[in-house]
């Protein structure tokens, strides 16, 4: 299974550390942020990394070259930061089977292998690793809406009044059908093509979308405080 890693963002909230380098190369512990994610993916048996680059892309390409820990790397270019659905679409020519998407600003360890296992179940079109968080944190990410029977009904991006506290973590598995959904996504109020909207299209089309409850530790690194928390995590 291949893994698509969106790594094109500017990381403005991590300034000044991102003034002279792309966000994926900001150090967490003694290694770049991106390396921690690549390590976890390699441990899952990923056969190829498809890294979506943009801002200061040459620095990332120079740092990693054409492989990481023996796993080949292909680079694709996202010219403008138009959102995760657009980033995933940049990888479409490189993917022809079920694949993972892993956000490059995550440091996490835990039951990631269950996402791969669930996606391999017949008829599954998407598997989402989910977590329960505080309401403040839920307002800053993709949040789940469930129906009266507790089934996944919708996903909303960064709601001002979160309908729940169960959120996306930044690890997904998809069938190639997600590319068609991404093509149908329209810009959000933020002017971005949201991956949550593509997942909503899957749900409305009655595609089979599974969830796996995260069991582990993770930090989504967006601010200097997040980076310090990630450093404590990897130090432990």
């Amino acid at each position: 299974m291949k893994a698509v890693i969106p790594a094109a963002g500017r990381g403005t909230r991590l300034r000044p550390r991102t003034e002279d380098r792309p966000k994926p190369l900001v150090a967490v512990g003694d290694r770049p942020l991106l390396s921690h994610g690549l390590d976890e993916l390699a441990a899952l048996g990923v056969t190829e990394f498809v890294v979506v680059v943009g801002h200061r892309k040459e620095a990332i390409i120079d740092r990693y070259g054409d492989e990481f820990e023996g796993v080949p790397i292909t680079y694709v270019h996202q010219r403008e930061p138009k959102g995760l659905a657009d980033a995933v679409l940049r990888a479409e020519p490189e993917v022809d089977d079920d694949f993972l998407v892993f956000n490059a600003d995550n440091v996490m360890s835990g039951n990631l292998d269950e996402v791969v296992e669930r996606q391999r179940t017949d008829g599954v079109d998407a598997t989402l690793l989910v977590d329960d968080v505080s309401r403040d944190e839920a307002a800053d990410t993709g949040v789940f809406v469930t129906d009266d029977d507790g089934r996944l009904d919708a996903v909303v991006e960064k709601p001002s009044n979160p309908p729940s506290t169960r959120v996306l973590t930044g690890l997904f598995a998809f069938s190639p059908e997600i590319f068609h959904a991404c093509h149908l996504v329209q810009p959000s109020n933020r002017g971005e093509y949201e991956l949550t909207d593509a997942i909503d299209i899957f749900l409305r089309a009655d595609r089979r979308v599974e969830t796996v409850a995260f069991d582990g530790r993770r930090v989504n690194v967006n601010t200097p405080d997040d980076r310090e928390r990630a450093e404590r995590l990897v130090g432990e």
Side-chain angles (χ1 to χ4, degrees):
M1 187 178 287
K2 295 183 179 181
V4 174
I5 303 101
R10 294 181 178 273
T12 54
R13 287 185 284 173
L14 266 176
R15 289 175 178 164
R17 293 186 180 273
T18 51
E19 288 180 351
D20 63 348
R21 70 196 67 192
K23 182 180 180 181
L25 296 188
V26 169
V28 174
D30 59 355
R31 311 178 69 202
L33 174 57
L34 178 56
S35 292
H36 296 285
L38 295 180
D39 263 342
E40 292 292 336
L41 292 168
L44 296 178
V46 164
T47 57
E48 182 181 344
F49 300 120
V50 182
V51 181
V52 184
V53 293
H55 178 63
R56 294 183 181 268
K57 66 181 188 300
E58 295 83 2
I60 296 174
I61 295 170
D62 289 346
R63 171 63 178 78
Y64 291 100
D66 58 7
E67 67 174 40
F68 177 87
E69 301 295 336
V71 180
I73 300 176
T74 297
Y75 299 95
V76 295
H77 190 199
Q78 185 183 28
R79 295 185 180 278
E80 299 178 28
K82 293 183 178 180
L84 279 179
D86 181 74
V88 169
L89 275 178
R90 300 311 104 201
E92 184 176 11
E94 308 298 331
V95 176
D96 58 6
D97 204 347
D98 285 12
F99 65 103
L100 297 173
V101 174
F102 185 88
N103 293 348
D105 52 11
N106 272 315
V107 175
M108 65 167 67
S109 63
N111 59 331
L112 312 189
D113 58 321
E114 292 184 29
V115 175
V116 176
E117 293 169 7
R118 188 75 59 85
Q119 185 64 23
R120 287 174 173 160
T121 304
D122 287 345
V124 173
D125 285 293
T127 305
L128 318 174
L129 187 65
V130 304
D131 199 8
D132 289 303
V133 300
S134 68
R135 293 193 69 82
D136 285 345
E137 187 175 346
D140 198 39
T141 188
V143 178
F144 291 95
V145 181
T146 57
D147 62 19
D148 292 339
D149 295 321
R151 293 188 297 266
L152 178 61
D153 189 52
V155 186
V156 292
E157 183 69 21
K158 298 184 178 180
S160 57
N161 185 23
S164 78
T165 56
R166 175 150 287 197
V167 302
L168 298 168
T169 62
L171 176 65
F172 317 81
F174 294 114
S175 74
E177 294 297 324
I178 195 64
F179 294 122
H180 177 64
C182 287
H183 279 291
L184 296 176
V185 169
Q186 298 299 308
S188 67
N189 292 336
R190 301 192 302 151
E192 296 190 359
Y193 296 85
E194 310 286 3
L195 188 57
T196 48
D197 289 344
I199 296 169
D200 259 347
I201 290 170
F202 258 19
L203 291 169
R204 292 198 301 271
D206 290 327
R207 294 284 183 178
R208 185 174 171 185
V209 178
E210 297 281 327
T211 61
V212 170
F214 180 59
D215 182 13
R217 299 183 65 190
R218 68 181 183 91
V219 178
N220 182 225
V221 181
N222 287 309
T223 68
D225 286 346
D226 294 336
R227 177 183 166 276
E228 290 181 8
R229 290 194 297 119
E231 290 213 316
R232 291 195 294 271
L233 190 156
V234 300
E236 294 168 3

